[in-house]
Amino acid sequence: MSWTDERVELLKKMWGEGQSASQIAKELGGVTRNAVIGKVHRLGLSNRAGAGATPTAKPAAAQPKAKPATKPKVETKPKPASQPTVQDSGTEAAPKPAVPARRQIIPAGQPLPPQPSTNEIPAEALAKVNEVEKKAKRLTVMELTEKTCKWPIGDPATDDFWFCGLPSVPGKPYCEAHVGVAFQPMSSRRDRRR
DNA sequence: CCCTGATTCGC
DNA sequence: GCGAATCAGG
């Protein structure tokens, strides 16, 4: 991938919006966050100008490299993030939530599952959820990552709404507690022993 | 351990 | 110019 005009523009825009380099990289696709940062520097907009928020202010100085020769390094490989890129042309698009469009959100509160009575959610799981929601990090949609629980809590129609945000189970969109109520084994009896 | 940006330097 | 490797910090 090369830095086409459009890509650079998007980069600038997102960087200006305070998006992180990794998010930008994901959005652009085909580049790593390093590439993004590198480009940012080359473009001379390393500092997020104007914006009052300067999360990281590090006068870091380059150190001579000297390594203990121990870590082969294991970095996260760039994953082909397949995010449906639905942009409206023309206007400044609002940040696209990484959350799949989901109608009828089930607030993880009391009114539990409108689900078939076929399988009941273990009382323990429910208790766990209640417990967990006390500790929920109350993330906004922007703060969600692939590693944070995306269980919605509260009423989306009000500002009394947030996401669980606790560490999600690898491969799942929810934390363990919410996975417990979200993904019910479709067979309780079938093959229940091992 | 997860993440962030910053810098260096071989390409 | 580019970006992986690396560094430094939260």
Side-chain angles (χ1 to χ4, degrees), chain A residues 8 25 31 43 51-52 59 64 73 93-94 100-101 103 119 121 130 159 162 167 174 178 180 183 190 194:
Chain A
V8 171
V31 288
L43 287 173
K73 162 184 179 53
R103 294 171 300 123
N119 52 57
I121 287 144
N130 284 322
D159 59 348
W162 64 90
Y174 306 124
H178 286 132
F183 300 103
R190 184 194 197 87
R194 146 173 271 298

Side-chain angles (χ1 to χ4, degrees), chain A residues 56-102:
Chain A
T56 48
K58 297 177 274 315
Q63 296 287 15
K65 35 196 182 146
K67 298 199 302 188
T70 34
K71 295 177 182 174
K73 162 184 179 53
V74 181
E75 187 176 347
T76 19
K77 301 293 182 187
K79 320 166 182 73
S82 55
Q83 300 276 350
T85 304
V86 184
Q87 285 185 323
D88 11 0
S89 45
T91 14
E92 298 292 60
K96 300 174 286 303
V99 179
R102 170 186 303 131

Side-chain angles (χ1 to χ4, degrees), chain A residues 24-143:
Chain A
I24 297 172
K26 237 191 266 180
E27 184 62 39
L28 287 170
V31 288
T32 64
R33 72 181 195 89
N34 286 313
V36 170
I37 292 175
K39 185 60 179 176
V40 162
H41 279 231
R42 261 169 261 126
L43 287 173
L45 33 77
S46 56
N47 186 351
R48 296 186 181 190
T54 307
T56 48
K58 297 177 274 315
Q63 296 287 15
K65 35 196 182 146
K67 298 199 302 188
T70 34
K71 295 177 182 174
K73 162 184 179 53
V74 181
E75 187 176 347
T76 19
K77 301 293 182 187
K79 320 166 182 73
S82 55
Q83 300 276 350
T85 304
V86 184
Q87 285 185 323
D88 11 0
S89 45
T91 14
E92 298 292 60
K96 300 174 286 303
V99 179
R102 170 186 303 131
R103 294 171 300 123
Q104 284 199 335
I105 299 176
I106 302 166
Q110 297 78 22
L112 260 192
Q115 291 304 311
S117 55
T118 309
N119 52 57
E120 300 158 6
I121 287 144
E124 283 191 358
L126 293 180
K128 211 170 178 183
V129 165
N130 284 322
E131 183 64 32
V132 155
E133 289 178 7
K134 293 175 189 170
K135 298 176 182 174
K137 297 178 68 176
R138 296 200 172 206
L139 296 186
T140 65
V141 64
M142 270 107 85
E143 297 170 306

Side-chain angles (χ1 to χ4, degrees), chain A residues 128-193:
Chain A
K128 211 170 178 183
V129 165
N130 284 322
E131 183 64 32
V132 155
E133 289 178 7
K134 293 175 189 170
K135 298 176 182 174
K137 297 178 68 176
R138 296 200 172 206
L139 296 186
T140 65
V141 64
M142 270 107 85
E143 297 170 306
L144 293 175
T145 74
E146 284 129 14
K147 293 191 179 54
T148 60
C149 179
K150 299 177 188 60
W151 192 269
I153 301 173
D155 188 342
T158 71
D159 59 348
D160 186 33
F161 177 68
W162 64 90
F163 292 90
C164 172
L166 294 173
S168 62
V169 175
K172 298 280 173 47
Y174 306 124
C175 68
E176 189 172 350
H178 286 132
V179 162
V181 298
F183 300 103
Q184 279 301 305
M186 49 180 236
S187 57
S188 299
R189 41 166 172 228
R190 184 194 197 87
D191 179 65
R192 70 191 283 77
R193 68 167 303 152

